[in-house]
Amino acid sequence: VLPVFVREGLAEPRAIDGMFGVEQHTETSVVRVYDDLIAAGVQSVMIFAIPELRDAEGSEAYSPDGILTRSVRRARERCGDRLVIIADLCLDEFTSHGHCGVLDEHGAVDNDATLERYGQMALRLAAAGADMLGASGMMDGQVGFVRQVLDDAGFRDVAILAYSAKYASSFYGPFRNAVESQLEGDRRGYQQDPRNRRESCREIELDVEQGADVVMVKPALSYLDVVSDAARQTSVPVAAYVVSGETAMVEAAAAAGAIDRERAIDEVITSVARAGATIICTYWALELALRWKE
Ligand code: PBG
C-alpha cells in the first residue's frame, strides 16, 4: 500500500521536510501516481488529504465536497477496480488544533462526539467510492460505530482497516510535516504506550469483534513483536505501517553512506513480512514494485 498526500490549493507538487522524496501532490498530479502504481502492480493506495481551511470541528473532513472526498472520487473515476482505494478516516488533518478528534470544554479529546464526526466522514468517503477506510484516530469504539453507520446506509462492502495497535511514537515526526500538523502536545491520551505489549492483543480482539476487516500495527519496525503477536492471534489479515520516521532513518543513514540503501530497504520490508504482516504500508511501495519486477 502506498500512502499519498494530496494538498488542497497547491499549484505544483511540493517536497516534504524529512520525507526524502515523498511529495505533497496537487489534486491532478496525484493521478499520475495511481497510473504508475497500477502499471507497477501495486494493489492499493492510502489517501491522506490536507485542506486549505481548518477549524476546531474538523468540518472539512465531512463537508459535502471536501478535499479528501474529492480525491477519493477522482481516484475511483480514474482507476475503476484496478486499485484498492483506502481513505484515511481521522480528523487530525482537518482540525485547527491537530488532534484526531474534537475537544471538550477542558481541551481533552471528546471520544463520543468524535465518533459522530467519523460516522459522517465515513459516509462521504464511502459514497465517493472508497473501498476501505483506515480508522486511524484511536477513539474507543470507532470500528463498531463506523461499521454500523456504513451498514445502515447500505455500504456493507466498504471495509474497515482498523489501526488497532497504534503507539504514541516519535517516528511520526516527518508525517506531521506532510500533513502540516498543528498539533501541540501529544497523543498519549489516545495512542498506546510503547511499553505495553498486552494492550495490543486486547485492542485487536475488540476491533475484530466490532467488525474490523484488517488490523494494523503501527509503527512497524520497533513493534515487530506486536506484528507477530497479531498474526498469531487473529484470523483477519494483519497490516503494518512502516512510518515516516522509520523510512527517514534508513534514508538518512544511506545518504550518509553508512548503509546500502536498497539492501536495507529490502531487509526492513522483509522483516515486516517475516513477522507476519501480509499488508504493508510503505512509502517505498512503488519503488519496490518496480525494482522487484526487474
Ligand atoms: C493520524 C496518522 C498519523 C500517521 C498516519 N495517520 C500520525 C499521528 O498519529 O500523528 C503517521 C504515518 C507516518 O508517520 O508515516 N491520522
Side-chain angles (χ1 to χ4, degrees), residues 7 49-60 92-98 179-182:
R7 170 67 157 90
I50 304 100
E52 229 157 6
L53 293 175
R54 296 175 149 132
D55 59 26
E57 304 280 304
S59 49
E60 276 302 293
D92 66 319
E93 287 90 24
F94 302 91
T95 52
S96 44
H97 44 74
V179 299
E180 303 167 37
S181 173
Q182 307 297 305

Side-chain angles (χ1 to χ4, degrees), residues 31-294:
V31 173
R32 263 202 323 272
V33 178
Y34 306 147
D35 295 344
D36 291 346
L37 289 174
I38 292 167
V42 177
Q43 294 177 355
S44 182
V45 68
M46 179 180 283
I47 305 176
F48 293 94
I50 304 100
E52 229 157 6
L53 293 175
R54 296 175 149 132
D55 59 26
E57 304 280 304
S59 49
E60 276 302 293
Y62 42 90
S63 71
D65 204 32
I67 177 72
L68 184 56
T69 304
R70 281 199 319 267
S71 300
V72 168
R73 192 178 305 124
R74 196 148 182 175
R76 169 60 68 217
E77 281 165 9
R78 178 72 173 203
C79 306
D81 284 335
R82 292 174 302 164
L83 202 59
V84 175
I85 297 162
I86 309 175
D88 187 51
L89 178 65
C90 188
L91 294 186
D92 66 319
E93 287 90 24
F94 302 91
T95 52
S96 44
H97 44 74
H99 277 289
C100 295
V102 292
L103 306 180
D104 64 18
E105 66 274 22
H106 309 294
V109 172
D110 184 335
N111 192 93
D112 293 1
T114 299
L115 292 184
E116 296 293 335
R117 269 75 172 188
Y118 286 180
Q120 295 173 38
M121 191 178 179
L123 291 180
R124 300 274 185 223
L125 297 173
D131 293 298
M132 197 182 277
L133 303 178
S136 68
M138 294 301 280
M139 296 304 124
D140 288 337
Q142 61 180 9
V143 173
F145 187 88
V146 169
R147 181 73 273 158
Q148 187 71 50
V149 168
L150 289 172
D151 286 353
D152 289 348
F155 295 113
R156 291 183 194 83
D157 294 334
V158 174
I160 298 179
L161 182 161
Y163 285 55
S164 304
K166 180 171 176 180
Y167 285 90
S169 171
S170 62
F171 291 111
Y172 306 141
F175 177 94
R176 299 202 178 152
N177 297 332
V179 299
E180 303 167 37
S181 173
Q182 307 297 305
L183 186 69
E184 284 171 25
D186 60 53
R187 305 198 202 289
R188 281 182 244 191
Y190 44 103
Q191 296 183 349
Q192 285 174 225
D193 185 329
R195 294 168 294 188
N196 200 329
R197 181 169 176 175
R198 232 175 323 159
E199 186 181 25
S200 293
C201 301
R202 178 148 176 71
E203 293 285 348
I204 286 165
E205 213 172 281
L206 288 170
D207 283 349
V208 171
E209 271 169 31
Q210 291 175 35
D213 299 280
V214 177
V215 292
M216 174 98 100
V217 176
K218 175 179 171 184
L221 275 197
S222 292
Y223 300 88
L224 290 178
D225 54 335
V226 180
V227 175
S228 171
D229 288 349
R232 280 164 203 263
Q233 178 192 338
T234 179
S235 53
V236 304
V238 172
Y241 196 144
V242 180
V243 301
S244 56
E246 299 178 308
T247 309
M249 279 199 300
V250 172
E251 295 284 5
I259 58 174
D260 176 328
R261 181 177 178 279
E262 293 189 354
R263 278 189 59 197
I265 292 172
D266 286 7
E267 202 171 325
V268 162
I269 298 300
T270 302
S271 74
V272 179
R274 192 186 59 228
T278 54
I279 299 172
I280 302 178
C281 297
T282 167
Y283 300 101
W284 293 310
L286 181 58
E287 172 185 336
L288 281 175
L290 291 170
R291 178 144 54 80
W292 289 348
K293 223 170 157 183
E294 258 171 44

